[in-house]
Amino acid sequence: MLKEFKEFIARGNVIDLAIGIIIGGAFGKIVSSLVGDVLMPPIGLLLSGVDFSKMGIILKEAVGDKPAVILAYGSFIQTIIDFIIIAWVIFLVIKAVNKFRKEKKETPVAPSKEEQLLIEIRDLLKINANK
């Protein structure tokens, strides 16, 4: 069982997936900071100084040491904006990768000397057959 586990972990796809998850997590933090610290303050300012992170509905007031129960829909709005930005960036990256792959596949390969010679022979045979 340990040997199978080592083979599973050593596969390239598993390692690539692990790297992708780690980078994705770090990228998510960057986007969250971008949204929370850079984008949302000006948007809130345009909307008469609204701070989305503090928007919510108090479901139960705080009593003694027990904190209030709050439905934080402002944080939810901010998370939706995070998701949209992350999805858009991933879309752009995948689009660029697909374009690169398409261009790479469409690059014509010059025929080898043998192929070129065969093409010339074929063309000469066509000319002689038409005479």
Side-chain angles (χ1 to χ4, degrees), residues 36 40-41 43-45 47-56 74-75 78:
M40 294 308 278
I43 291 172
L45 188 61
L47 300 173
S48 303
V50 175
D51 183 3
F52 282 94
S53 64
K54 298 195 185 332
M55 293 175 71
S75 295
Q78 194 161 341

Side-chain angles (χ1 to χ4, degrees), residues 66-77:
K66 294 182 180 179
V69 178
I70 301 173
L71 180 69
Y73 64 87
S75 295
F76 180 70
I77 292 171

Side-chain angles (χ1 to χ4, degrees), residues 116-128:
Q116 187 63 36
L117 183 59
L118 289 171
I119 291 170
E120 290 174 11
I121 292 170
R122 180 199 63 201
D123 293 344
L124 288 172
L125 289 171
K126 282 182 184 178
I127 293 171
N128 289 332

Side-chain angles (χ1 to χ4, degrees), residues 75-102:
S75 295
F76 180 70
I77 292 171
Q78 194 161 341
T79 303
I80 289 173
I81 293 172
D82 285 355
F83 172 77
I84 291 170
I85 291 172
I86 290 171
W88 178 253
V89 170
I90 290 172
F91 167 75
L92 292 176
V93 168
I94 290 173
K95 186 174 179 177
V97 167
N98 287 340
K99 183 178 179 184
F100 175 73
R101 285 182 181 171
K102 185 178 179 183

